[in-house]
Every structure is written in structure tokens, then in C-alpha cells.
Amino acid sequence: MRSDEDEREKLVPKNYDEDEIRPEPVPVSFFIRAFGFFSDAYDLFIMNIINVLLSREFKEYDSASKSRVTTAVLTGVIIGQLSFGYLGDRIGRKTSFVISCFLLLIGSLLCTFIHADDPNTLFWLLAIFRAVLGIGIGAEYPLSATITSESSPKETRGKEIGLVFSMQGVGAVFASLAGVIVILALCQAPYTQSDLDYSWRILFGLGFIPPSLIFYGRLTMKETEFFEHSQHHPEVSKLQLILLVWKQLAGVSLSWMILDIVFYSQRMWIATVLHDANGGSITDRALESIALENLVITIAQLPGYYCAAFSVDILGRKPIQVIGFLSMGVLLLIGGLVYNELDTNPTLLVIFFCLSFFLTNFGPNTTTFIIAAESFPSH
């Protein structure tokens, strides 16, 4: 065991003493790092409401089309995470951060101004444009985590990474709030096809605002000191490095994969599930009630992020993650046993989702992000 550690130290020398880190001014650097996550969450979770709007506007928007459009962004996220994790090490954190922000801008515009002569072509184009947007979203995960880890003192690193990640929750709240406001403003019954079309385009277009606010800041930000120092070390064999850190890599990635299967399978479909629980019929208040219930759930899950962020440096990463996974498992088991009651009672379903997302965020949704950022060397 000690020989592995010695070999790792030879291959991956310490960049410099962590106590000597001089972080950038917190208000500016936090805004630049965290607002990308705000944008990510908005772009991901706005599909909750947009799926319902598209279902009302187009009878051709069946379950297959809905699944294709919804999952396309997740495909892009995977591509973005893998490619920009690599690019961040090759061309630098700053340059990669600028490119990811540009992709968020372009993806939002493409989805907003999309046009096609028939619905099926529209759905295919929307899936492609959502995938482009997803690449930018995925890029933010490794870059934001790494930059925050490399810019924070070790005593408060967990809290700072957790606070950056908490912007996922804030972005989700704003996505739900935007859905409520747009529906109340434009989709009062009896609503028309034009009302629905304007509504989902406006919701996509609002996703352009967050990355536009931070684009200049990313252009002018400094490269992290850890990355600058890592460039003075000899090139490390990737195969040798993987062989040395494969246990950490397997533990971190498998934990995150298990969490995301549960998290996104619920989070991306909340509005659709709520719609079905309400009978799935078009009523005078159906859209409003679905949007409001979705907003209640997203607000209720927000405290979980901050409970994790402010306790992780005290309680530790592992205890919070283990307890979180166990709590989620118990709650989901109960949910499966009483599924028929949840499916026919929207109020109980909302309460279930509120508890589920609070436990997820005050647990593995936050800790998997923090642990991944801290487990591997800068280069």
C-alpha cells in the first residue's frame, strides 16, 4: 500500500503547499464559477414545463418524441463532461470555461429560434440543439468543481464547492418560477396554439441570460495557480496514473452514476408525473396547478444544498454521503410500496418529491460533486 503511495508521489508531485493558495476575490470568482451551474440547472429543468407545453401544442409530441428531446440533453452532458475534463487539462481551465459558456449561449439561442415545416422535424431539430446545449452544461461540471477546488483553502474547500453546486438548486427554482410566470401571463384558458408556442420559446430564451452575464468575466479571469504550477511538471503517463487511482475513480464514478440514475429520472420528469397524477386532462387550471406544484417541490429541495455545504467540512464527506444514500433508499422503497396512493393523490406526490430531493441534496447529490473535485491531482 505504501509503495503505491510512493509511486504516486513520484508520478504526481505536489504542486505546492495548499496552505499557500491565494484565492481570487470571493464575490467575483464565486459569481463566475457558480452562475454557470445556475444556467445548467435552468436549461436542464426548464424541460419539465416545456414538455407539458409541447404536449398541449402538438398532438404528435408523443412519449417517444418527448423521451428523445429530454434525453438528448443528457447525452450532450456526458460528452461535455468527458471532453472538457480532458480539455481542461490540455488547454487550461480558463479557455475551456470560456468555450463552455459560449456553448450555453449558442444552445439557448438555437432552441429559442428553432423552426421547421412539420412537427416531427421540429422535434428532431430540438433534440439536436438540446444536445449541443447539453455539451455546454456537461462542461461546467468538471470545470466548476476543479476551479473551485484549486481556488479554495483546504479548511473551507468543501463548503465553497458545495455553495457553487448549490446554484443548481437556485437555477431549478428560477426555472420553475419562470414556468409559473409565463403560464400565468400567456396561457390563461382558453389558450391558443400561439400562446403555447410563445411560452416555450420564451422559457428557452430566458436561458440565454445567465451565461451572457458571466461571459466577459470568464474572458478576463486568471488561470488557477494549481494549473499553472502543474505545467512545470513532466508529462505523466495516463495509463500509469489510472492504474494508481483506479480505486478512487471507480468509487467516485459509480457512486455518482447510481445517484444520477435516481436523481435525473425523477427531476427531469416531475411536471409530466404531476400532469398524469392530475388526470392528464386539459382543464382550466391544469397548467397553472402543475407549474405551481413543480415550484413548491423545487423550493423545498433547496435547503438540502445548504445543509450539505455548511456541514460537510464538519461532519465529513463520507458520513453525509452514506447516510444520504441510505435515507434515499428507505424513502424510495416506501414510495414504491404506496405507489398507487401517490399516483392518485397529487398532494402526497408533492410531499414525497419534496422529501426525496431534500435528502438527495443533503447527501450524495452534493458530496459526489465535492469528492470528485478533491480526489485527483491537478494534472
Side-chain angles (χ1 to χ4, degrees), residues 52-337:
V52 176
L53 293 171
L54 289 172
S55 296
R56 298 295 176 84
E57 182 179 354
F58 301 103
K59 64 180 184 299
E60 298 89 351
Y61 196 61
D62 55 16
S63 58
S65 298
K66 187 181 296 185
S67 297
R68 183 165 58 247
V69 172
T70 303
T71 56
V73 70
L74 297 178
T75 302
V77 167
I78 295 172
I79 295 172
Q81 288 175 330
L82 294 174
S83 58
F84 278 83
Y86 173 79
L87 288 174
D89 288 336
R90 303 302 299 179
I91 64 176
R93 282 50 162 153
K94 173 186 172 178
T95 303
S96 301
F97 227 18
V98 172
I99 297 173
S100 71
C101 194
F102 180 75
L103 288 172
L104 293 174
L105 293 168
I106 293 299
S108 296
L109 289 177
L110 289 173
C111 292
T112 302
F113 297 105
I114 185 174
H115 174 75
D117 294 329
D118 65 274
N120 288 324
T121 303
L122 180 76
F123 305 150
W124 274 106
L125 286 175
L126 187 55
I128 294 170
F129 295 160
R130 288 285 291 172
V132 173
L133 181 63
I135 295 174
I137 293 171
E140 293 290 319
Y141 280 80
L143 294 174
S144 293
T146 302
I147 291 170
T148 303
S149 178
E150 294 177 346
S151 301
S152 308
K154 61 183 178 181
E155 293 81 8
T156 60
R157 184 188 300 135
K159 182 183 74 174
E160 293 195 27
I161 299 175
L163 288 175
V164 167
F165 188 66
S166 73
M167 292 300 286
Q168 181 189 72
V170 179
V173 170
F174 271 79
S176 300
L177 183 61
V180 171
I181 293 172
V182 170
I183 285 173
L184 290 176
L186 296 178
C187 289
Q188 293 292 310
Y191 41 79
T192 65
Q193 184 175 6
S194 177
D195 294 334
L196 295 167
D197 191 74
Y198 279 122
S199 295
W200 63 260
R201 290 181 186 276
I202 289 172
L203 291 174
F204 272 139
L206 290 173
F208 179 84
I209 298 175
S212 67
L213 294 176
I214 58 174
F215 188 72
Y216 178 76
R218 291 191 175 183
L219 279 175
T220 57
M221 66 179 281
K222 296 180 180 180
E223 188 60 85
T224 68
E225 292 184 27
F226 261 120
F227 179 77
E228 293 285 357
H229 280 257
S230 72
Q231 300 309 293
H232 300 300
H233 293 300
E235 184 71 21
V236 178
S237 166
K238 298 298 186 292
L239 178 59
Q240 285 181 288
L241 186 57
I242 290 173
L243 290 174
L244 287 173
V245 301
W246 72 269
K247 291 182 181 179
Q248 297 98 305
L249 183 62
V252 169
S253 58
L254 289 176
S255 297
W256 203 333
M257 182 189 74
I258 293 169
L259 176 278
D260 280 355
I261 290 173
V262 177
F263 181 73
Y264 286 104
S265 62
Q266 295 182 76
R267 198 69 188 83
M268 299 288 284
W269 297 95
I270 288 179
T272 299
V273 174
L274 292 171
H275 176 270
D276 293 342
N278 275 294
S281 60
I282 300 178
T283 66
D284 288 346
R285 62 179 298 275
L287 286 176
E288 298 171 31
S289 62
I290 292 166
L292 287 169
E293 289 162 358
N294 186 51
L295 177 60
V296 169
I297 293 170
T298 53
I299 291 175
Q301 53 89 44
L302 192 57
Y305 289 98
Y306 297 106
C307 289
F310 286 100
S311 64
V312 70
D313 288 316
I314 300 170
L315 301 178
R317 284 71 164 154
K318 182 177 177 180
I320 292 177
Q321 179 153 307
V322 171
I323 294 172
F325 268 126
L326 290 175
S327 301
M328 287 172 57
V330 171
L331 182 64
L332 292 172
L333 177 61
I334 294 173
L337 294 174

Side-chain angles (χ1 to χ4, degrees), residues 8-54:
R8 175 172 170 153
E9 288 178 6
K10 291 177 184 177
L11 287 171
V12 191
K14 203 171 169 64
N15 290 327
Y16 57 96
D17 191 342
E18 290 183 331
D19 293 326
E20 296 178 0
I21 297 178
R22 298 290 183 264
E24 301 170 69
V26 173
V28 176
S29 61
F30 178 83
F31 181 76
I32 292 171
R33 288 176 269 150
F35 226 60
F37 256 105
F38 178 99
S39 180
D40 285 2
Y42 181 91
D43 289 328
L44 279 173
F45 302 133
I46 198 62
M47 279 307 298
N48 271 314
I49 296 299
I50 289 178
N51 271 332
V52 176
L53 293 171
L54 289 172

